[in-house]
Amino acid sequence: MKDAPDSSNDTDAARQRLKAIGLMVAAVVLFSGLDTTAKYLVTRDGLTVGQVVWARFIGQFVLLLLLVPAFGIMSAKALFTTNRLGLQLVRSVLMVGTTAFNFLALQYMRLDQTITIVFLAPLMVALLAGPLLGEWVGRRRLVAILVGFIGVLIAVRPGFGVIHPAVLYAFAAMLVYALFMLLTRHMAHFDPPLVTLFYSMFVGTFAGAPIAYAGWQTPPDAIAWVLLGALGILGGVGHWLFLHAYRLAPASSIAPFIYMQLLTMVAFGYAVFGDLPDLWTLAGATLIVGSGVYLVHRERSIAREMVDAAPPS
């Protein structure tokens, strides 16, 4: 007689996936809170983008340096230990760049507009993975990528009405983020995730300090100081939840929930700034999100086919 399937393992796996999904949803809420806070500080409190970017990095840098060793996860010395210092520095500069471009775009654009363009990054990653990593996409995934680009054209509507130049900042943030994700995937073979995350905060803190100092504007009140300090907490806790979610469940199970950030961005945009997305933005975002979810589904199907086709060991 064959052994009965172990239902307890299936139950545990399902529980882990649900927990991972919950952590991912919480992470995107915090990321949306980060962007909303940054936009508020720049547009309502008159702070410069440079000091807001720097506050975001130094806050998370201090949290990592204090809490990771305190909880016994990794020593402070281990956080600085890397097998690819040059690549870590390049990746860190890319993260600083995508953060700066994103905050610059948020000065002039709605939250839902910027996140719609940033959602193009996973599609750009799939497109660039071929020439950069040798991971070429098939015909179906190429069609999904093209549909995603059409979604951006619908959302931005070039040639129909006035397009704010800040759209270029959003596209720059998206492109730099795509390169950042590709390098992050490559770095996973050499260094632990916490080391990679730590170097981004380290470089952002020390490279951004002169820029923040040069254009420093004193926060107008205590609430502005609190919001400035909250940037690092929102980013740090969000990234920790994000990484923990990927440790609990396969990427294909939780990656689609990243797109819930569109809903949280719309909610925060309306609650804080009174902004609502127009029909063009929603239509474009629908195409982009649909393309992204299809790419995740396709990756999962290909991985399953490869496992089924593998000879028994």
Side-chain angles (χ1 to χ4, degrees), residues 49 53 57 89-105 169-177 180 200 203-204 207:
V49 171
V53 171
F57 280 100
L89 295 177
V90 172
R91 180 191 174 277
S92 300
V93 170
L94 289 174
M95 182 162 189
V96 175
T98 191
T99 303
F101 282 129
N102 185 46
F103 286 1
L104 285 168
Y169 287 137
F171 272 102
M174 179 275 298
L175 182 58
V176 174
Y177 185 50
F180 166 81
S200 299
V203 171

Side-chain angles (χ1 to χ4, degrees), residues 9-312:
N9 289 339
D10 293 340
T11 301
D12 290 341
R15 191 177 293 116
Q16 291 286 78
R17 280 194 298 272
L18 285 175
K19 184 177 180 181
I21 290 169
L23 292 174
M24 178 60 72
V25 171
V28 301
V29 171
L30 292 174
F31 291 149
S32 296
L34 173 66
D35 283 356
T36 304
T37 303
K39 180 177 177 67
Y40 186 91
L41 287 168
V42 172
T43 61
R44 299 292 176 85
D45 287 334
L47 304 189
T48 65
V49 171
Q51 72 185 103
V52 171
V53 171
W54 179 73
R56 178 254 187 277
F57 280 100
I58 191 173
Q60 192 168 342
F61 172 70
V62 172
L63 282 175
L64 283 171
L65 195 59
L66 294 179
L67 296 183
V68 170
F71 282 97
I73 301 172
M74 188 177 288
S75 67
K77 181 180 179 180
L79 285 172
F80 281 98
T81 303
T82 173
N83 295 304
R84 292 292 188 276
L85 179 60
L87 290 179
Q88 285 288 11
L89 295 177
V90 172
R91 180 191 174 277
S92 300
V93 170
L94 289 174
M95 182 162 189
V96 175
T98 191
T99 303
F101 282 129
N102 185 46
F103 286 1
L104 285 168
L106 285 169
Q107 276 187 286
Y108 309 102
M109 298 175 65
R110 299 194 310 265
L111 292 167
D112 60 275
Q113 291 173 321
T114 57
I115 197 62
T116 295
I117 295 174
V118 169
F119 278 162
L120 191 61
L123 308 182
M124 185 65 74
V125 167
L127 190 63
L128 294 177
L132 295 182
L133 299 180
E135 301 173 4
W136 298 95
V137 297
R139 183 173 54 189
R140 295 180 185 178
R141 285 181 288 173
L142 183 59
V143 170
I145 292 169
L146 292 176
V147 170
F149 277 100
I150 292 172
V152 169
L153 292 177
I154 292 173
V156 176
R157 305 187 302 285
F160 298 92
V162 178
I163 300 178
H164 199 285
V167 169
L168 297 177
Y169 287 137
F171 272 102
M174 179 275 298
L175 182 58
V176 174
Y177 185 50
L179 295 172
F180 166 81
M181 287 195 291
L182 283 168
L183 192 51
T184 299
R185 182 189 300 178
H186 180 68
M187 289 300 300
H189 300 293
F190 305 107
D191 290 333
L194 272 177
V195 171
T196 300
L197 178 61
F198 178 77
Y199 265 92
S200 299
M201 301 305 108
F202 174 74
V203 171
T205 296
F206 288 94
I211 299 173
Y213 178 77
W216 184 266
Q217 296 291 326
T218 303
D221 51 39
I223 294 177
W225 278 108
V226 171
L227 292 177
L228 198 64
L231 292 170
I233 297 173
L234 290 169
V237 177
H239 271 100
W240 185 84
L241 295 176
F242 185 86
L243 292 171
H244 193 47
Y246 274 97
R247 284 198 295 266
L248 292 177
S252 58
S253 299
I254 56 177
F257 291 90
I258 295 174
Y259 295 108
M260 286 193 65
Q261 191 169 1
L262 178 61
L263 299 178
T264 57
M265 283 292 219
V266 170
F268 285 148
Y270 178 70
V272 179
F273 305 104
D275 293 334
L276 283 175
D278 54 37
L279 291 177
W280 291 103
T281 301
L282 290 176
T286 299
L287 286 179
I288 297 168
V289 171
S291 300
V293 172
Y294 175 79
L295 279 179
V296 173
H297 167 73
R298 189 63 187 154
E299 292 285 349
R300 187 175 185 178
S301 298
I302 291 174
R304 189 184 299 117
E305 291 170 2
M306 292 177 63
V307 171
D308 292 340

